[in-house]
Amino acid sequence: MSAAGVVKPARGSVEAFPGAERRRPARYSRWGYLRALAADKVVLAAAGFLLVLILAALFAGVVAPHDPEQGGLALRNKPPLTVVKDGGIPYFLGTDALGRDQLSRLIYGARVSLAVGLLSVVLSGAIGVTLGLISGYYRGPLDDLIMRLVDLQMAFPSLLMALLVLYLLGASIANVILVLAITRWMVYARVTRGLVLMYRENVFIEAALATGCSDRRIILLHLLPNLLSPILVLATLEIATMILTEASLSFLGLGIQPPQSSWGLMLGQGRAYVTSAWWLVTFPGVVILLTALSVNLVAGWVRVVTDPVTRWRYFASES
Amino acid sequence: MTRYIIKRIAHGLLLLAVLAVVVFFATHLLGDPASLMLRPEATQEQRQALREDLGFNDPLPQQFARFVGNLARGDLGDSIWQGAPALPIALERLPRTLYLAAVTMVLAVPLAIVLGIVSALRPRSMADRLVSVISLIGASVADFWLALMLILLFAVQLRWLPTSGFGGLSFVILPALALAVRPLGRISQVVRSTMLEESAKSYVTTARAKGLAEPVVTYVHTLKNAAIPILTLTGDEAAALLNGAVVIETVFGWPGIGILLIQAIEKRDLPLIEACVLVIAVMVITLNLLIDVAYSLLDPRVRYR
């Protein structure tokens, strides 16, 4: 669909800010982002931690020092750095009540915790953004219905809703992901709708309508690209929320079920030994904290560099 | 004003009705209520007997009519686990959860406001950095793990406070601390940003130009206008405390409505679960109503909408 005859407005920004043209490629390129990342030590450490965690989860079979399921009564609740006499690999973070290596279980548990976090964010984002686009673009009774649904869910604590739906559906990894998505979709719907309502009034949408673009084309090619940056920031923040909620559900015994394991479930199982084996209630929580902290730090950074206003300031202060 | 409140109450009641309907149909259509109430290993005969007993074999509209009728009289059926009407059991636990939530907010809100104002007045000071760190940790820590760490330190190692249970003031400190971190972080950050935002507005410049003392400008003029978003957020955080309370009550064995709900779910006690859900929903809706009313009292612009 070509807009023949429509004069493309010239981009005034280059003339308005002399020198902007020259500096632009270096600052806005992919390498510019990476260089900026390297300059921010805290965010770099956070991104590094997440990278190591993801690699460890992917290659758990190679990285884990022990079999996460292999235990033994002789090895019950051994403190960290226990070395078994026959010269094996030390149990760096101790063993649990069944004599299983905690470090290896944390590495395998990362698979479940990260997968649940990521997949539930993708699912809730997909539902929320779609409904938000429909709601904001078409308005009308459908919009009212969706927004009432959002209000209803906003009014009810999300963890309680997750508990109830899991009780109704039964606990499994797939259901945990589904439940997390059901309880958080409205966050995206709200933000998306708000942005769509704002952009709808803009000239570029009017121009698209005037040139005869279909609704589908306007939504997918004109609106969606403008939403990507704020939605991306929101989704990154939501990963931390999802990981924490999954941990809470599994801790309560209503999320991930044995023999599968996640960090929250490990804490739930270690809780009985809070007075005798401190390492069982400490390390899984430390890993959850570090993961959520890193995700939040990276999300904050993504927000700064993807927002054109703050990005300009961020890159200017860097040089 | 009265009309506004009546409208809000009607809205709350409608929300509650919708929730009750959703709960009814979710339990009767998504799952078989008899299976939901029994252990998975229950026999077919037991299931059938329970269905007969509680009338689950009746046509759905008839069951729904009965549910609505009973609900109107405040009767949610008998708790299977405790063999007594479910609603009073849930209501009895409510004050203890409210007590825990109140102590938490008393710990978090004044401190958050002070920290937020100081960090807004002095950017890049210690208080400012503290606000960023607390809010970052508050958003990243699993509250139940924080609770376990507090138990490990103050109850197991130092033996200053009891590990769990309900009693005097010493019992409420650890659960309230574990719950307070998140609202403390969020509220202090919002206090900081709204104070900064408000202090850039022209009425503040006017106040200064009139020659008012700086404390008057900050605490009377700016804070009064910043109070509105702060109040909204505080209300949201109070409602969100219920989320945390479910887990924290379980960790500390705090006999509130959160732990009751978890126990009811474990015992597959459907009437008690419904009672807990409705009581919590009424609490959240009432809270939101109170916030809206306070909002309209503070901000004259809201009343005329």
Side-chain angles (χ1 to χ4, degrees):
Chain A
M1 173 166 295
S2 72
V6 176
V7 181
K8 236 181 157 184
R11 287 192 168 176
S13 55
V14 178
E15 285 76 19
F17 299 102
E21 178 82 62
R22 188 172 47 81
R23 291 204 304 256
R24 200 172 155 158
R27 295 205 158 163
Y28 289 79
S29 73
R30 220 163 286 156
W31 292 110
Y33 288 137
L34 281 182
R35 257 209 342 232
L37 184 63
D40 197 327
K41 295 284 183 297
V42 180
V43 177
L44 184 68
F49 175 78
L50 288 179
L51 190 67
V52 169
L53 191 70
I54 291 168
L55 288 177
L58 284 177
F59 301 104
V62 187
V63 182
H66 295 273
D67 183 339
E69 297 303 329
Q70 188 74 45
L73 287 179
L75 288 168
R76 286 193 75 210
N77 285 355
K78 291 280 175 241
L81 297 174
T82 299
V83 186
V84 180
K85 291 221 168 62
D86 55 10
I89 311 166
Y91 292 87
F92 292 104
L93 298 181
T95 61
D96 71 2
L98 296 174
R100 299 174 296 191
D101 178 43
Q102 182 162 225
L103 178 60
S104 307
R105 290 187 67 71
L106 281 173
I107 293 171
Y108 275 92
R111 286 185 165 179
V112 173
S113 292
L114 292 180
V116 169
L118 289 172
L119 289 175
S120 54
V121 163
V122 169
L123 188 60
S124 64
I127 300 171
V129 171
T130 309
L131 290 180
L133 278 169
I134 294 172
S135 195
Y137 189 78
Y138 293 104
R139 310 297 308 272
L142 205 58
D143 177 33
D144 286 340
L145 183 71
I146 294 173
M147 282 305 113
R148 287 294 83 76
L149 219 60
V150 169
D151 285 345
L152 185 71
Q153 273 200 257
M154 282 287 185
F156 200 70
S158 58
L159 185 70
L160 292 188
M161 176 150 329
L163 285 174
L164 290 177
V165 182
L166 272 182
Y167 163 69
L168 290 173
L169 297 179
S172 70
I173 289 193
N175 281 352
V176 170
I177 293 171
L178 185 70
V179 158
L180 290 174
I182 292 174
T183 53
R184 295 299 291 181
W185 66 274
M186 72 282 182
V187 181
Y188 302 91
R190 226 182 209 190
V191 171
T192 306
R193 178 175 177 273
L195 288 168
V196 170
L197 287 182
M198 189 182 86
Y199 281 121
R200 261 176 71 98
E201 306 304 319
N202 272 9
V203 184
F204 73 92
I205 298 294
E206 235 170 82
L209 280 169
T211 50
C213 290
S214 63
D215 288 346
R216 208 182 116 112
R217 190 184 168 87
I218 292 176
I219 290 175
L220 293 181
L221 293 181
H222 294 261
L223 283 173
L224 203 54
N226 281 302
L227 303 177
L228 277 183
S229 151
I231 295 294
L232 188 70
V233 175
L234 182 64
T236 324
L237 285 172
E238 283 289 303
I239 295 176
T241 312
M242 293 299 200
I243 288 176
L244 290 174
T245 312
E246 180 274 315
S248 293
L249 289 172
S250 301
F251 175 76
L252 290 170
L254 296 159
I256 307 299
Q257 302 290 324
Q260 265 146 353
S261 194
S262 77
W263 300 330
L265 184 60
M266 289 176 71
L267 282 171
Q269 290 167 339
R271 199 184 133 207
Y273 307 95
V274 65
T275 51
S276 58
W278 59 270
W279 56 94
L280 292 181
V281 291
T282 307
F283 293 118
V286 171
V287 178
I288 295 173
L289 175 65
L290 288 176
T291 308
L293 203 62
S294 303
V295 168
N296 280 329
L297 282 167
V298 170
W301 182 81
V302 170
R303 176 170 55 210
V304 173
V305 297
T306 54
D307 185 326
V309 179
T310 51
R311 173 170 56 195
W312 184 81
R313 231 182 280 153
Y314 185 86
F315 283 93
S317 66
E318 185 223 337
S319 54
Chain B
M1 187 65 201
T2 327
R3 251 185 71 192
Y4 175 75
I5 295 175
I6 291 170
K7 217 173 93 184
R8 296 293 310 165
I9 291 176
H11 192 230
L13 288 176
L14 187 71
L15 209 62
L16 205 60
V18 171
L19 189 76
V21 172
V22 168
V23 167
F24 175 83
F25 282 101
T27 48
H28 284 73
L29 291 180
L30 276 181
D32 165 25
S35 316
L36 283 176
M37 284 189 200
L38 290 168
R39 300 249 153 232
E41 60 270 16
T43 62
Q44 207 56 43
E45 287 76 41
Q46 282 173 313
R47 231 164 269 219
Q48 204 50 47
L50 189 73
R51 271 191 209 127
E52 279 301 326
D53 218 27
L54 297 176
F56 294 145
N57 284 338
D58 297 342
L60 203 62
Q62 196 184 330
Q63 286 191 51
F64 184 62
R66 198 164 54 215
F67 173 78
V68 172
N70 288 341
L71 191 67
R73 283 183 278 112
D75 177 10
L76 290 170
D78 284 358
S79 158
I80 302 162
W81 167 35
Q82 309 211 348
L87 195 58
I89 300 176
L91 281 174
E92 194 196 330
R93 297 292 192 95
L94 186 59
R96 300 201 196 120
T97 298
L98 292 180
Y99 168 51
L100 177 59
V103 175
T104 306
M105 290 316 260
V106 167
L107 283 179
V109 175
L111 186 61
I113 292 178
V114 171
L115 274 178
I117 292 176
V118 174
S119 63
L121 291 180
R122 299 200 176 77
R124 287 161 202 254
S125 65
M126 275 300 282
D128 194 10
R129 253 174 275 167
L130 194 64
V131 166
S132 327
V133 170
I134 292 175
S135 52
L136 191 59
I137 289 182
S140 311
V141 76
D143 43 12
F144 63 91
W145 177 72
L146 186 66
L148 287 171
M149 291 298 102
L150 289 172
I151 291 178
L152 208 55
L153 180 63
F154 291 106
V156 178
Q157 286 295 319
L158 298 172
R159 296 179 183 279
W160 287 353
L161 295 162
T163 49
S164 67
F166 181 78
L169 201 60
S170 61
F171 286 90
V172 79
I173 296 174
L174 289 185
L177 270 181
L179 278 173
V181 175
R182 192 162 306 178
L184 178 63
R186 288 227 199 125
I187 297 172
S188 59
Q189 205 170 38
V190 168
V191 171
R192 178 183 177 276
S193 61
T194 41
M195 284 298 282
L196 282 176
E197 209 173 284
E198 288 295 324
S199 64
K201 289 192 176 162
S202 48
Y203 72 85
V204 176
T205 314
T206 311
R208 287 212 179 95
K210 283 196 299 193
L212 290 180
E214 201 54 32
V216 178
V217 176
T218 307
Y219 296 103
V220 180
H221 290 235
T222 319
L223 189 59
K224 202 173 165 190
N225 282 289
I228 294 154
I230 295 169
L231 185 76
T232 318
L233 183 80
T234 307
D236 284 351
E237 288 300 315
L241 269 188
L242 292 170
N243 255 338
V246 172
V247 197
I248 295 298
E249 283 181 5
T250 311
V251 176
F252 287 98
W254 182 268
I257 198 165
I259 198 171
L260 184 71
L261 177 65
I262 299 293
Q263 286 166 339
I265 289 176
E266 275 166 8
K267 302 246 193 274
R268 307 181 78 77
D269 188 344
L270 190 59
L272 192 54
I273 295 172
E274 286 175 351
C276 288
V277 169
L278 288 180
V279 168
I280 291 172
V282 170
M283 202 153 72
V284 174
I285 290 168
T286 313
L287 193 67
N288 283 328
L289 178 72
L290 290 178
I291 294 162
D292 281 344
V293 172
Y295 205 81
S296 66
L297 287 177
L298 266 176
D299 189 349
R301 282 168 297 188
V302 177
R303 255 173 271 167
Y304 301 106
R305 244 192 251 150

